[in-house]
Amino acid sequence: MALLLLVEDDPTIGKVLESSLASAGHDVTWHDTGGAALDHAESRQVDLVLLDLGLPDMDGIDVCRRLRAVQPACVVVMLTARHEEMDVVVGLSAGADDYLTKPIRLGELLARVQAHLRRGGTGPATDNTLTIGALTVDTGRRRVTVGDHEVVLRTKEFDLLARLAAEPGVALSRQTLMADVWDAHWSGPTKTLDVHVAVLRRKLEAAADGTADPPRIVTLRGFGYRLD
Ligand code: CA
């Protein structure tokens, strides 16, 4: 089941889309402002967003850009009125994957959603999955779970965890981690690494909550980090 976020301020259109997508077997959350949608996306996994461009509180293009920042892996489909078609170009450059013009034809909408989800691989887990104890890192879908709990990570948090998980139990130097996750030619301060490790630890601990064999990121003083 895919996690869909519908952002639409027109109650009539919202109701129709919400019920059709739910009938097609999707888990749909509907918000009527950009602010509420972004709050939702900051704390929960989203596979696909249907985003109306004309929203009461924010420009849909800005919402798209900010959605992309917090949910880099999710698919964004913009819903536009015909007079907004010029915005489509801007929207696609702001990170949207596709657009549909209103009036929305439900059959087409459902078909496109299905096609995007298939491409995005929200079906069964791919074989790009690393499992270390209770931790699972699916690099294909960019999803992390500890036991039964999903861990929502930002782009670099995910990249860092995936790098550590690629060699569990191995001491990885700060230079290696900075080069592989941030910049191959990094030679400046590496404080950002410690900040990301601190956030990862907090999120992993919160998700572990009593799970047996939880993942631990061990600090190797003066050297780097290791994932146990
Ligand atoms: Ca609207």
Side-chain angles (χ1 to χ4, degrees):
M1 185 170 60
L3 304 172
L4 266 52
L5 173 60
L6 170 63
V7 194
E8 171 62 67
D9 62 313
D10 183 318
T12 312
I13 298 176
K15 245 175 237 153
V16 171
L17 294 187
E18 183 188 39
S19 68
S20 326
L21 291 161
S23 310
H26 302 298
D27 181 329
V28 189
T29 305
W30 173 21
H31 286 295
D32 58 4
T33 63
L38 286 169
D39 280 346
H40 176 90
E42 292 234 338
S43 56
R44 269 150 294 193
Q45 179 71 36
V46 177
D47 297 318
L48 186 144
V49 183
L50 290 163
L51 174 64
D52 177 34
L53 276 189
L55 293 169
D57 62 329
M58 287 175 72
D59 181 32
I61 302 288
D62 284 339
V63 177
C64 177
R65 208 169 273 132
R66 288 168 61 178
L67 272 170
R68 266 280 156 263
V70 293
Q71 294 270 352
C74 89
V75 175
V76 179
V77 178
M78 296 189 311
L79 310 177
T80 78
R82 195 154 283 284
H83 65 269
E84 294 168 333
E85 250 178 324
M86 266 312 289
D87 292 341
V88 164
V89 179
V90 184
L92 294 175
S93 68
D97 299 279
D98 196 5
Y99 72 96
L100 286 166
T101 310
K102 292 178 181 176
I104 304 291
R105 289 169 299 277
L106 283 176
E108 184 186 7
L109 172 81
L110 294 173
R112 294 253 207 122
V113 165
Q114 275 319 120
H116 280 296
L117 292 174
R118 257 199 314 276
R119 213 171 304 148
T122 31
T126 60
D127 52 6
N128 300 320
T129 304
L130 307 163
T131 305
I132 300 108
L135 172 72
T136 305
V137 180
D138 182 340
T139 54
R141 291 159 65 192
R142 294 181 71 84
R143 280 192 168 181
V144 174
T145 51
V146 177
D148 296 330
H149 297 110
E150 179 131 13
V151 188
V152 178
L153 299 178
R154 287 165 187 269
T155 310
K156 288 299 179 192
E157 293 162 11
F158 179 89
D159 293 344
L160 176 59
L161 182 62
R163 179 63 191 87
L164 287 162
E167 292 183 88
V170 174
L172 296 169
S173 73
R174 301 177 67 83
Q175 289 76 7
T176 299
L177 292 169
M178 286 307 296
D180 290 357
V181 178
W182 277 271
D183 182 346
H185 305 292
W186 189 267
S187 56
T190 55
K191 176 88 187 137
T192 186
L193 173 61
D194 305 304
V195 173
H196 279 76
V197 167
V199 174
L200 269 181
R201 276 189 180 134
R202 184 165 50 72
K203 290 187 175 179
L204 292 174
E205 261 163 38
D209 191 28
T211 305
D213 205 6
R216 273 195 331 129
I217 302 174
V218 179
T219 304
L220 305 164
R221 214 158 283 287
F223 181 76
Y225 292 99
R226 186 184 73 216
L227 180 68
D228 284 357

